[in-house]
Amino acid sequence: MMKFNHALAGELGLDASALDCDEGAALFSGNQTPFGAEPLAMAYAGHQFGHFVPQLGDGRAHLLGEIIARDGNRRDIHLKGSGPTPFSRSGDGRAAVGPVIREYIISEAMHALGVPTSRTLAVVATGEPVFRETVLPGAVLVRVASSHIRIGTFEYFAAREDTDAVRVLADHAIDRHFHALRAAPNPYLALLDAVLQAQASLIAQWMHVGFVHGVMNTDNMTISGETIDYGPCAFMDAYDPATVFSSIDRHGRYAFGHQPRIAQWNLARFAETLLPLLHTDPKQALAIAGETVNQFPAVFERHWLSGMRRKLGLCTVEDGDLALVQSLLDAMQTNAADYTNTFRALCDAAEQPEHLRAWRSRFPLTKDFDEWFVRWQGRVHAEQQTSIDRAASMRRVNPAYIPRNHRVEEAIHSAVEDGDLSRCDELLTALSLPYQERESCNHFAQPPAPSDCAYKTFCGT
Ligand code: AMP
Ligand code: MG
């Protein structure tokens, strides 16, 4: 067992001491099946980079089963890298230690940031080699998610024109995630709307923390609204909506700033799978679906703007707020300012404007920043809140620590090359309380050196 997440085991109501040992490793590597479990690989289809693939499926993963967690909700326990399945095609069904540790760090960081996500219960080294461009040590990641129902799961059955199966799946998704919708006049339209709301809220939260998923194919988007399938994802340092890390995303389809648009495109694919359930008349079904999906930009903007207001310490709503936020982002882009640290510095500046001078002196900023700062000061001072309270509430939404790429790489490097997990543990400690600045963790808040900025990620978790 390379890593075991005791906090998560506690939340799930699992006996950590019975699992963080060789017997646990045997279960989590897939070598032994838990009593009564019937592991399976799930079928799904999906649009990959805009192109439909009628059959993908779990090619390197097994759903071990479901458990009821302490909060009463059902969770999937899923093994990633557990060997070939009927969906493996030409793949080996394996995963390498590096990408598995990467998923552990980033998914746990996302959880601590408050973003809905699958989580990582454990990492088990298989002791077997995995053959990529080089020979790498193999590992299995134990993933916990509220379900693994993807837009691609719906597409799988819809592509086969199996409307009965789509209905069974939709009923199951409603029961599992949106129970109250069963009583809706048209539960399937209500499901489409609920998934749209969940995705809009999720993508807004990604944008708030500077997360780039990297492969927003429809098979990687959940119905539950949880972030899933961590592959070439990464956090942005300097603000730039065109930020792309994934080496396979050559045209920037999944760039940071494109994520809301892509989410809407994916929802349109989801809506298409539900058409026969929305109305018996295909024309009317299309009209209903279109009307719902077209609401996405407004729903997204509502979620995004209310989060951006919180990031700027605003508790009231004013017409000019969108323009105020946009001009800050423009100034950040012009100055290649660090996204996370700019907002964190604004927390200090909210408490004491003099702080901004100290922070500002570290950057070669243009005067648009100063102009923006004066506008923002005018806007916040018209509100009732004290500056102390404002700064405190801003620090609860603007993280000090994100999994910065150069730190994640360092942690992976020492785990893979030297079998040393201490760097990974240190990083996880900082990321577990991302909103609480601590002297001992402050090196994790430093942006990368300019030479480290051209960061590239590769698929293969
Ligand atoms: P992903 O890029 O992780 O969303 O994966 C896309 C598809 O490729 C999924 O159906 C995966 O199960 C499959 N896949 C990725 N890597 C492997 C592998 N090493 N062996 C078998 N299937 C894989
Ligand atoms: Mg995937």
Side-chain angles (χ1 to χ4, degrees), residues 156-214:
Y156 180 87
F157 297 106
R160 285 156 183 77
E161 295 181 15
D162 189 345
T163 303
D164 289 339
V166 175
R167 186 179 289 109
V168 169
L169 180 61
D171 287 338
H172 173 68
I174 290 171
D175 281 348
R176 182 130 178 189
H177 297 298
F178 309 102
H179 202 70
L181 305 184
R182 269 215 279 191
N186 182 339
Y188 308 113
L189 177 59
L191 173 65
L192 174 59
D193 182 57
V195 174
L196 181 145
Q197 300 287 338
Q199 285 287 330
S201 160
L202 177 70
I203 310 303
Q205 293 179 74
W206 288 359
M207 306 303 279
H208 293 148
V209 297
F211 176 76
V212 188
H213 183 282

Side-chain angles (χ1 to χ4, degrees), residues 289-327:
E291 198 186 313
T292 307
V293 174
N294 287 340
Q295 287 165 15
F296 184 86
V299 176
F300 170 77
E301 189 182 284
R302 211 166 47 239
H303 283 288
W304 179 75
L305 189 55
S306 68
M308 293 310 275
R309 279 198 185 94
R310 281 194 294 276
K311 283 175 84 72
L312 291 183
L314 306 175
C315 22
T316 56
V317 172
E318 277 188 23
D319 279 348
D321 290 346
L322 181 59
L324 182 72
V325 172
Q326 195 52 54
S327 57

